[in-house]
Amino acid sequence: MMNRLIEKYRTEVIPAMQVKFGSKNGMAVPKIEKAVVNVGAGRAGSEAKFKERVEKDIALITGQKPSPRIARKSISGFKVRQGMIVGFVSTLRGRRMYDFLDRLISVALPRSRDFRGIETRSFDQKGSLNIGLREQIIFPEVVYESSKDIFPFQVTVTTTAKTKEEGSELLKLMGFPIKQ
């Protein structure tokens, strides 16, 4: 059983990118390298239950347990002590990445409130995409009634593209709703 996005990449995206950017070899066409889901759990230090719920929800969304991010030094203004868990990150590659991205572009983004498409300024100079999502409940795996906390998180889609144009064209052809 092959993922829908992998199939689309092989049959539609590679030939279209070769035509647009004049690449002779299909292996020279940029591809998606990894997807990183990052959550800053600011109040996790004071509430242990909140940290557990964030970790559980990210594990449901990504399909793998996120790794905690620990504060390297104490900052009294933010009430952060060295060694405290300040966030969670989950790096997805291969099949899990394609499953996650498929759910992101076909289910989660359309369910997001006031979503009109991804801005082109969300791409960096190397063609990677950064999206900030306001709530985790837009994913169907997270049950709205059982989730007590709604937290924002960031999704970074890293590509092997060399330029911003290549990266945005790749993700547009993959089905990402990118504004013109």
Side-chain angles (χ1 to χ4, degrees):
M1 175 79 186
M2 194 177 295
N3 187 300
R4 188 176 66 93
L5 277 181
I6 298 170
E7 190 69 37
K8 185 174 187 175
Y9 176 74
R10 290 183 181 153
T11 58
E12 298 170 27
V13 176
I14 290 176
M17 291 285 284
Q18 281 180 310
V19 169
K20 177 148 186 167
F21 294 104
S23 173
K24 303 239 185 303
N25 189 349
M27 297 300 283
V29 172
K31 59 181 175 272
I32 300 174
E33 200 171 22
K34 64 183 175 180
V36 180
V37 178
N38 184 29
V39 183
R43 25 180 212 181
S46 57
E47 294 182 45
K49 292 279 188 216
F50 174 72
K51 182 182 73 174
E52 289 171 18
R53 288 192 292 262
V54 168
E55 191 173 12
K56 184 183 76 104
D57 282 355
I58 292 301
L60 281 171
I61 291 169
T62 60
Q64 73 183 28
K65 186 179 179 216
S67 63
R69 290 291 167 229
I70 287 135
R72 284 187 234 136
K73 59 184 186 177
S74 301
I75 303 170
S76 63
F78 294 119
K79 296 180 181 168
V80 173
R81 293 206 172 80
Q82 186 176 356
M84 275 176 62
I85 294 175
V86 292
F88 294 96
V89 68
S90 190
T91 303
L92 305 167
R93 296 175 197 271
R95 187 174 200 88
R96 276 197 185 132
M97 173 191 68
Y98 283 110
D99 289 341
F100 170 76
L101 291 176
D102 196 11
R103 286 193 322 275
L104 177 73
I105 59 180
S106 59
V107 179
L109 289 178
R111 287 176 69 175
S112 176
R113 282 185 293 136
D114 301 330
F115 183 72
R116 301 276 179 262
I118 298 168
E119 296 283 342
T120 52
R121 67 173 182 254
S122 299
F123 286 91
D124 64 9
Q125 293 307 310
K126 292 282 187 183
S128 295
L129 171 69
N130 288 297
I131 313 170
L133 299 172
R134 290 196 187 109
E135 46 197 21
Q136 86 280 17
I137 55 173
I138 59 175
F139 281 90
E141 297 85 6
V142 180
V143 183
Y144 177 69
E145 287 75 28
S146 69
S147 76
K148 292 179 180 65
D149 300 297
I150 293 175
F151 57 87
F153 62 98
Q154 178 190 15
V155 176
T156 302
V157 181
T158 307
T159 64
T160 59
K162 305 259 188 303
T163 63
K164 187 175 185 174
E165 291 74 32
E166 278 185 358
S168 66
E169 186 65 27
L170 168 69
L171 295 181
K172 196 181 294 176
L173 289 170
M174 291 289 279
F176 280 77
I178 297 166
K179 286 185 180 177
Q180 296 301 339

